[in-house]
Amino acid sequence: MRAALFYFSGTGNTWRTANLYAARLQRSGWGTEVVAVESALRSGLMPDRDCLGVGFPVYAFGPPRVVDRFLHMLPSGKGRLAFVWAVAGGIVGGATAIVCDRLEAYGYRVVHERAYVVPENVHWSWSKPAVAARAKERAWSRIEGLVARAADELAAGRVRRARPGHVRRGLMSGGMWRWYMRSGAHAGRYIGVTAACRPCGLCAAACPTSAMPSIPLEHRVGSECTFCLRCASICPRQAVTVRLLPGITSILHRHLEPGYGDDVPKAMSMASERRT
């Protein structure tokens, strides 16, 4: 069995789970390929595999706008297998159900669906570094076990679906997510750049939707912004600010998932090197 695992990640949690899935499936004899959603969107190329995996962080109880765009570019599934997983800091709502419905509408047979509650990387800033490191290690130890079990179920052919109730799906992933999708075109107005910026191009290269201009001081963030805050996380001078969340820039800057950058734009790796 060959599987292509497509993921979108802001600060690295979904990227980490994608690689955990891939490694575990390989132990069962599967061939796996891990691909960033934005890379697929930019290239327009879709690996021809027996199984499709889609992973994403939960935004407003649904998938990010960039993931929704990716789903719309998928070719017909023609009965191919698919599995879906989501990563959230709290309530998931019906996020996975939205993606499952889209995949099934395109002819994919969704056989596995899972959501993982992963404290956001921002969360760890509220504790002392040593305390946060131990708590994060414990949390990921638990999540690694859950992902391993999910991958084993998938490899064994076990069907696992988690349909949300009408309240979660309607009020949360229906109302909130639709609001996010409609108002998303204005998300860029909440991203600002201070005079500390020295146009290095890292934020523009890392932006999954090319919404960040190469010289951000002279131009506004584009309407394609998905509000993943990757630009604020990556800036080595902490010059990118989030107007909705004062003071969060320095927090984001310190909490990218270690190693994040292998399958996303090269700027992510460049920024990690500059911070060390």
Side-chain angles (χ1 to χ4, degrees), residues 101-147:
D101 288 347
R102 293 286 175 85
L103 290 172
E104 289 173 340
Y106 288 137
Y108 291 87
R109 184 161 62 91
V110 181
V111 295
H112 209 276
E113 175 185 0
R114 190 65 196 261
Y116 303 98
V117 176
V118 181
E120 299 97 333
N121 283 317
V122 176
H123 164 84
W124 305 112
S125 64
W126 307 120
S127 302
K128 294 180 179 179
V131 174
R134 288 195 297 270
K136 189 171 185 178
E137 183 179 357
R138 288 195 299 269
W140 272 106
S141 177
R142 177 182 60 83
I143 293 162
E144 287 171 3
L146 293 174
V147 173

Short mmCIF file of all heavy atoms in Angstrom, two decimals, residues 101-147:
data_model
loop_
_atom_site.label_atom_id
_atom_site.label_comp_id
_atom_site.label_asym_id
_atom_site.label_seq_id
_atom_site.Cartn_x
_atom_site.Cartn_y
_atom_site.Cartn_z
N ASP A 101 -16.48 14.85 4.56
CA ASP A 101 -17.59 15.06 3.62
C ASP A 101 -17.06 15.51 2.26
O ASP A 101 -17.55 15.07 1.21
CB ASP A 101 -18.55 16.11 4.17
CG ASP A 101 -19.37 15.59 5.34
OD1 ASP A 101 -19.37 14.36 5.57
OD2 ASP A 101 -20.01 16.41 6.04
N ARG A 102 -16.06 16.41 2.27
CA ARG A 102 -15.49 16.89 1.01
C ARG A 102 -14.83 15.74 0.24
O ARG A 102 -14.99 15.60 -0.97
CB ARG A 102 -14.46 17.99 1.28
CG ARG A 102 -15.05 19.27 1.82
CD ARG A 102 -15.80 20.05 0.75
NE ARG A 102 -16.47 21.21 1.29
CZ ARG A 102 -15.89 22.39 1.47
NH1 ARG A 102 -14.62 22.55 1.15
NH2 ARG A 102 -16.58 23.40 1.97
N LEU A 103 -14.06 14.94 0.96
CA LEU A 103 -13.37 13.82 0.31
C LEU A 103 -14.36 12.82 -0.28
O LEU A 103 -14.18 12.32 -1.40
CB LEU A 103 -12.45 13.13 1.31
CG LEU A 103 -11.21 13.92 1.75
CD1 LEU A 103 -10.49 13.21 2.88
CD2 LEU A 103 -10.26 14.14 0.58
N GLU A 104 -15.40 12.53 0.47
CA GLU A 104 -16.40 11.59 -0.03
C GLU A 104 -17.14 12.15 -1.24
O GLU A 104 -17.48 11.41 -2.17
CB GLU A 104 -17.38 11.24 1.09
CG GLU A 104 -16.75 10.37 2.17
CD GLU A 104 -17.65 10.15 3.37
OE1 GLU A 104 -18.59 10.96 3.56
OE2 GLU A 104 -17.41 9.19 4.13
N ALA A 105 -17.35 13.46 -1.25
CA ALA A 105 -18.00 14.09 -2.41
C ALA A 105 -17.13 13.97 -3.66
O ALA A 105 -17.66 13.94 -4.78
CB ALA A 105 -18.28 15.56 -2.11
N TYR A 106 -15.81 13.89 -3.47
CA TYR A 106 -14.89 13.76 -4.60
C TYR A 106 -14.58 12.30 -4.93
O TYR A 106 -13.69 12.02 -5.74
CB TYR A 106 -13.59 14.50 -4.32
CG TYR A 106 -13.73 16.01 -4.35
CD1 TYR A 106 -13.12 16.81 -3.40
CD2 TYR A 106 -14.48 16.64 -5.34
CE1 TYR A 106 -13.25 18.19 -3.43
CE2 TYR A 106 -14.62 18.01 -5.37
CZ TYR A 106 -14.00 18.79 -4.42
OH TYR A 106 -14.14 20.15 -4.45
N GLY A 107 -15.28 11.38 -4.29
CA GLY A 107 -15.13 9.98 -4.65
C GLY A 107 -14.13 9.18 -3.84
O GLY A 107 -13.78 8.06 -4.23
N TYR A 108 -13.66 9.72 -2.71
CA TYR A 108 -12.74 8.98 -1.85
C TYR A 108 -13.53 8.19 -0.80
O TYR A 108 -14.62 8.62 -0.38
CB TYR A 108 -11.76 9.92 -1.15
CG TYR A 108 -10.78 10.57 -2.09
CD1 TYR A 108 -11.09 11.75 -2.75
CD2 TYR A 108 -9.54 9.99 -2.33
CE1 TYR A 108 -10.19 12.34 -3.63
CE2 TYR A 108 -8.63 10.58 -3.20
CZ TYR A 108 -8.97 11.75 -3.85
OH TYR A 108 -8.08 12.33 -4.72
N ARG A 109 -13.00 7.08 -0.38
CA ARG A 109 -13.64 6.27 0.65
C ARG A 109 -12.88 6.48 1.96
O ARG A 109 -11.80 5.92 2.16
CB ARG A 109 -13.63 4.79 0.25
CG ARG A 109 -14.37 3.89 1.21
CD ARG A 109 -14.74 2.57 0.54
NE ARG A 109 -13.56 1.83 0.12
CZ ARG A 109 -12.93 0.91 0.88
NH1 ARG A 109 -13.38 0.64 2.09
NH2 ARG A 109 -11.89 0.27 0.41
N VAL A 110 -13.44 7.31 2.83
CA VAL A 110 -12.77 7.65 4.08
C VAL A 110 -12.95 6.51 5.07
O VAL A 110 -14.08 6.16 5.44
CB VAL A 110 -13.33 8.96 4.67
CG1 VAL A 110 -12.59 9.31 5.97
CG2 VAL A 110 -13.19 10.10 3.66
N VAL A 111 -11.84 5.93 5.51
CA VAL A 111 -11.91 4.76 6.38
C VAL A 111 -11.42 5.05 7.80
O VAL A 111 -11.63 4.24 8.70
CB VAL A 111 -11.09 3.59 5.79
CG1 VAL A 111 -11.72 3.11 4.49
CG2 VAL A 111 -9.63 3.99 5.57
N HIS A 112 -10.76 6.20 7.99
CA HIS A 112 -10.25 6.47 9.34
C HIS A 112 -10.27 7.97 9.59
O HIS A 112 -9.91 8.77 8.73
CB HIS A 112 -8.83 5.94 9.50
CG HIS A 112 -8.49 5.55 10.91
ND1 HIS A 112 -8.05 6.46 11.85
CD2 HIS A 112 -8.55 4.36 11.55
CE1 HIS A 112 -7.84 5.83 13.00
NE2 HIS A 112 -8.12 4.56 12.85
N GLU A 113 -10.71 8.33 10.79
CA GLU A 113 -10.88 9.74 11.16
C GLU A 113 -10.49 9.89 12.62
O GLU A 113 -10.96 9.15 13.48
CB GLU A 113 -12.35 10.12 10.94
CG GLU A 113 -12.75 11.50 11.37
CD GLU A 113 -14.26 11.70 11.22
OE1 GLU A 113 -14.96 10.76 10.78
OE2 GLU A 113 -14.73 12.80 11.56
N ARG A 114 -9.60 10.85 12.90
CA ARG A 114 -9.12 10.98 14.28
C ARG A 114 -8.77 12.44 14.57
O ARG A 114 -8.32 13.17 13.68
CB ARG A 114 -7.88 10.11 14.48
CG ARG A 114 -7.43 9.96 15.93
CD ARG A 114 -8.46 9.23 16.75
NE ARG A 114 -8.22 9.41 18.18
CZ ARG A 114 -7.61 8.52 18.95
NH1 ARG A 114 -7.14 7.40 18.43
NH2 ARG A 114 -7.45 8.74 20.23
N ALA A 115 -8.98 12.86 15.81
CA ALA A 115 -8.60 14.20 16.24
C ALA A 115 -7.72 14.08 17.48
O ALA A 115 -7.96 13.23 18.35
CB ALA A 115 -9.83 15.04 16.55
N TYR A 116 -6.70 14.93 17.56
CA TYR A 116 -5.76 14.91 18.68
C TYR A 116 -5.76 16.28 19.36
O TYR A 116 -5.61 17.30 18.69
CB TYR A 116 -4.35 14.58 18.20
CG TYR A 116 -4.27 13.27 17.46
CD1 TYR A 116 -4.28 13.24 16.07
CD2 TYR A 116 -4.21 12.06 18.15
CE1 TYR A 116 -4.22 12.04 15.38
CE2 TYR A 116 -4.15 10.85 17.47
CZ TYR A 116 -4.16 10.85 16.09
OH TYR A 116 -4.11 9.66 15.41
N VAL A 117 -5.92 16.27 20.66
CA VAL A 117 -5.85 17.51 21.43
C VAL A 117 -4.39 17.72 21.82
O VAL A 117 -3.84 16.98 22.64
CB VAL A 117 -6.75 17.47 22.67
CG1 VAL A 117 -6.58 18.75 23.49
CG2 VAL A 117 -8.21 17.30 22.25
N VAL A 118 -3.78 18.71 21.20
CA VAL A 118 -2.36 19.01 21.42
C VAL A 118 -2.25 20.45 21.89
O VAL A 118 -2.60 21.37 21.15
CB VAL A 118 -1.55 18.85 20.11
CG1 VAL A 118 -0.08 19.13 20.36
CG2 VAL A 118 -1.75 17.46 19.53
N PRO A 119 -1.81 20.70 23.12
CA PRO A 119 -1.64 22.09 23.55
C PRO A 119 -0.77 22.86 22.55
O PRO A 119 0.28 22.38 22.14
CB PRO A 119 -0.94 21.95 24.91
CG PRO A 119 -1.37 20.61 25.40
CD PRO A 119 -1.44 19.74 24.18
N GLU A 120 -1.25 24.04 22.14
CA GLU A 120 -0.52 24.82 21.16
C GLU A 120 0.89 25.12 21.65
O GLU A 120 1.13 25.22 22.85
CB GLU A 120 -1.24 26.15 20.86
CG GLU A 120 -2.63 25.99 20.29
CD GLU A 120 -3.70 26.09 21.36
OE1 GLU A 120 -3.39 25.76 22.53
OE2 GLU A 120 -4.82 26.48 21.03
N ASN A 121 1.81 25.30 20.70
CA ASN A 121 3.17 25.64 21.09
C ASN A 121 3.21 26.94 21.88
O ASN A 121 4.08 27.15 22.72
CB ASN A 121 4.06 25.74 19.85
CG ASN A 121 4.44 24.36 19.34
OD1 ASN A 121 4.78 23.48 20.13
ND2 ASN A 121 4.39 24.16 18.04
N VAL A 122 2.24 27.84 21.62
CA VAL A 122 2.17 29.09 22.38
C VAL A 122 1.91 28.81 23.86
O VAL A 122 2.39 29.51 24.74
CB VAL A 122 1.04 29.98 21.82
CG1 VAL A 122 0.88 31.24 22.65
CG2 VAL A 122 1.32 30.34 20.37
N HIS A 123 1.16 27.76 24.13
CA HIS A 123 0.75 27.42 25.50
C HIS A 123 1.94 27.27 26.43
O HIS A 123 1.88 27.66 27.60
CB HIS A 123 -0.05 26.12 25.46
CG HIS A 123 -0.21 25.44 26.79
ND1 HIS A 123 -1.20 25.79 27.68
CD2 HIS A 123 0.50 24.45 27.38
CE1 HIS A 123 -1.09 25.03 28.76
NE2 HIS A 123 -0.09 24.21 28.61
N TRP A 124 3.03 26.72 25.92
CA TRP A 124 4.16 26.39 26.78
C TRP A 124 4.86 27.63 27.33
O TRP A 124 5.64 27.55 28.27
CB TRP A 124 5.16 25.53 26.02
CG TRP A 124 4.51 24.32 25.43
CD1 TRP A 124 4.31 24.06 24.11
CD2 TRP A 124 3.94 23.22 26.14
NE1 TRP A 124 3.64 22.87 23.95
CE2 TRP A 124 3.41 22.34 25.18
CE3 TRP A 124 3.81 22.90 27.49
CZ2 TRP A 124 2.77 21.16 25.53
CZ3 TRP A 124 3.17 21.72 27.83
CH2 TRP A 124 2.67 20.87 26.87
N SER A 125 4.61 28.79 26.76
CA SER A 125 5.29 30.00 27.20
C SER A 125 4.83 30.46 28.57
O SER A 125 5.50 31.25 29.22
CB SER A 125 5.05 31.13 26.19
OG SER A 125 3.68 31.45 26.16
N TRP A 126 3.65 29.98 29.01
CA TRP A 126 3.13 30.47 30.29
C TRP A 126 3.79 29.79 31.48
O TRP A 126 3.52 30.14 32.63
CB TRP A 126 1.62 30.26 30.33
CG TRP A 126 0.91 30.85 29.16
CD1 TRP A 126 0.15 30.18 28.24
CD2 TRP A 126 0.91 32.21 28.73
NE1 TRP A 126 -0.32 31.04 27.28
CE2 TRP A 126 0.13 32.29 27.56
CE3 TRP A 126 1.51 33.37 29.22
CZ2 TRP A 126 -0.08 33.48 26.88
CZ3 TRP A 126 1.30 34.56 28.53
CH2 TRP A 126 0.51 34.61 27.39
N SER A 127 4.62 28.79 31.25
CA SER A 127 5.31 28.10 32.34
C SER A 127 6.81 28.36 32.25
O SER A 127 7.31 28.83 31.24
CB SER A 127 5.05 26.59 32.25
OG SER A 127 3.67 26.30 32.30
N LYS A 128 7.50 28.04 33.32
CA LYS A 128 8.95 28.13 33.29
C LYS A 128 9.48 27.14 32.26
O LYS A 128 8.90 26.06 32.08
CB LYS A 128 9.53 27.83 34.67
CG LYS A 128 9.16 28.87 35.73
CD LYS A 128 9.76 28.52 37.08
CE LYS A 128 9.40 29.57 38.11
NZ LYS A 128 9.96 29.24 39.45
N PRO A 129 10.59 27.46 31.58
CA PRO A 129 11.09 26.59 30.50
C PRO A 129 11.24 25.13 30.90
O PRO A 129 10.84 24.23 30.15
CB PRO A 129 12.44 27.23 30.16
CG PRO A 129 12.26 28.67 30.50
CD PRO A 129 11.38 28.69 31.72
N ALA A 130 11.80 24.86 32.07
CA ALA A 130 12.01 23.47 32.49
C ALA A 130 10.68 22.76 32.72
O ALA A 130 10.50 21.60 32.33
CB ALA A 130 12.85 23.43 33.76
N VAL A 131 9.73 23.46 33.34
CA VAL A 131 8.41 22.88 33.60
C VAL A 131 7.69 22.63 32.28
O VAL A 131 7.08 21.57 32.07
CB VAL A 131 7.57 23.82 34.49
CG1 VAL A 131 6.15 23.28 34.65
CG2 VAL A 131 8.23 23.99 35.85
N ALA A 132 7.76 23.60 31.37
CA ALA A 132 7.10 23.46 30.07
C ALA A 132 7.68 22.30 29.28
O ALA A 132 6.95 21.55 28.63
CB ALA A 132 7.24 24.76 29.27
N ALA A 133 9.00 22.14 29.33
CA ALA A 133 9.66 21.06 28.59
C ALA A 133 9.19 19.70 29.07
O ALA A 133 8.91 18.80 28.27
CB ALA A 133 11.17 21.19 28.72
N ARG A 134 9.08 19.53 30.39
CA ARG A 134 8.63 18.25 30.94
C ARG A 134 7.16 17.99 30.59
O ARG A 134 6.79 16.86 30.22
CB ARG A 134 8.82 18.22 32.46
CG ARG A 134 10.27 18.13 32.90
CD ARG A 134 10.37 17.76 34.37
NE ARG A 134 9.78 18.78 35.24
CZ ARG A 134 10.45 19.81 35.74
NH1 ARG A 134 11.74 19.96 35.45
NH2 ARG A 134 9.85 20.69 36.52
N ALA A 135 6.33 19.03 30.69
CA ALA A 135 4.91 18.87 30.37
C ALA A 135 4.72 18.54 28.90
O ALA A 135 3.89 17.69 28.54
CB ALA A 135 4.16 20.15 30.73
N LYS A 136 5.48 19.19 28.06
CA LYS A 136 5.37 18.94 26.63
C LYS A 136 5.83 17.53 26.28
O LYS A 136 5.22 16.85 25.45
CB LYS A 136 6.20 19.97 25.86
CG LYS A 136 5.98 19.94 24.36
CD LYS A 136 6.65 21.12 23.69
CE LYS A 136 6.33 21.14 22.21
NZ LYS A 136 6.93 22.31 21.53
N GLU A 137 6.88 17.08 26.93
CA GLU A 137 7.38 15.72 26.69
C GLU A 137 6.32 14.69 27.08
O GLU A 137 6.10 13.71 26.36
CB GLU A 137 8.66 15.49 27.49
CG GLU A 137 9.29 14.13 27.24
CD GLU A 137 10.59 13.95 28.01
OE1 GLU A 137 11.02 14.91 28.69
OE2 GLU A 137 11.16 12.85 27.95
N ARG A 138 5.66 14.90 28.21
CA ARG A 138 4.60 13.97 28.64
C ARG A 138 3.44 13.98 27.66
O ARG A 138 2.88 12.93 27.31
CB ARG A 138 4.11 14.34 30.05
CG ARG A 138 5.10 14.02 31.15
CD ARG A 138 4.42 14.08 32.51
NE ARG A 138 3.88 15.41 32.80
CZ ARG A 138 4.55 16.36 33.42
NH1 ARG A 138 5.81 16.15 33.82
NH2 ARG A 138 4.00 17.54 33.67
N ALA A 139 3.05 15.18 27.22
CA ALA A 139 1.92 15.29 26.29
C ALA A 139 2.22 14.58 24.98
O ALA A 139 1.39 13.83 24.46
CB ALA A 139 1.61 16.77 26.03
N TRP A 140 3.42 14.78 24.45
CA TRP A 140 3.76 14.15 23.18
C TRP A 140 3.97 12.65 23.31
O TRP A 140 3.73 11.90 22.36
CB TRP A 140 4.98 14.83 22.56
CG TRP A 140 4.57 15.99 21.71
CD1 TRP A 140 4.72 17.32 22.00
CD2 TRP A 140 3.91 15.93 20.45
NE1 TRP A 140 4.19 18.09 21.00
CE2 TRP A 140 3.69 17.26 20.03
CE3 TRP A 140 3.48 14.89 19.63
CZ2 TRP A 140 3.07 17.58 18.82
CZ3 TRP A 140 2.85 15.19 18.43
CH2 TRP A 140 2.66 16.52 18.04
N SER A 141 4.38 12.19 24.47
CA SER A 141 4.49 10.76 24.69
C SER A 141 3.12 10.10 24.56
O SER A 141 2.97 9.03 23.95
CB SER A 141 5.09 10.49 26.07
OG SER A 141 5.15 9.10 26.32
N ARG A 142 2.11 10.76 25.12
CA ARG A 142 0.74 10.25 25.02
C ARG A 142 0.24 10.30 23.57
O ARG A 142 -0.35 9.33 23.06
CB ARG A 142 -0.19 11.07 25.92
CG ARG A 142 -1.66 10.68 25.83
CD ARG A 142 -2.50 11.58 26.73
NE ARG A 142 -2.40 12.97 26.35
CZ ARG A 142 -3.12 13.53 25.37
NH1 ARG A 142 -3.98 12.79 24.67
NH2 ARG A 142 -3.00 14.81 25.10
N ILE A 143 0.51 11.41 22.89
CA ILE A 143 0.03 11.57 21.52
C ILE A 143 0.71 10.58 20.58
O ILE A 143 0.07 10.02 19.67
CB ILE A 143 0.27 13.02 21.05
CG1 ILE A 143 -0.62 13.97 21.86
CG2 ILE A 143 -0.02 13.18 19.56
CD1 ILE A 143 -0.19 15.40 21.82
N GLU A 144 1.99 10.34 20.79
CA GLU A 144 2.70 9.37 19.96
C GLU A 144 2.06 7.99 20.06
O GLU A 144 1.94 7.26 19.07
CB GLU A 144 4.17 9.32 20.36
CG GLU A 144 4.96 10.54 19.91
CD GLU A 144 6.35 10.59 20.50
OE1 GLU A 144 6.72 9.63 21.23
OE2 GLU A 144 7.07 11.58 20.26
N GLY A 145 1.62 7.63 21.27
CA GLY A 145 0.94 6.36 21.44
C GLY A 145 -0.39 6.32 20.71
O GLY A 145 -0.75 5.31 20.09
N LEU A 146 -1.13 7.42 20.76
CA LEU A 146 -2.43 7.49 20.08
C LEU A 146 -2.27 7.42 18.56
O LEU A 146 -3.03 6.74 17.87
CB LEU A 146 -3.16 8.78 20.47
CG LEU A 146 -3.61 8.89 21.93
CD1 LEU A 146 -4.18 10.28 22.21
CD2 LEU A 146 -4.66 7.82 22.25
N VAL A 147 -1.26 8.13 18.04
CA VAL A 147 -1.02 8.10 16.60
C VAL A 147 -0.59 6.70 16.16
O VAL A 147 -1.03 6.20 15.11
CB VAL A 147 0.04 9.14 16.20
CG1 VAL A 147 0.42 8.99 14.73
CG2 VAL A 147 -0.48 10.55 16.44
#
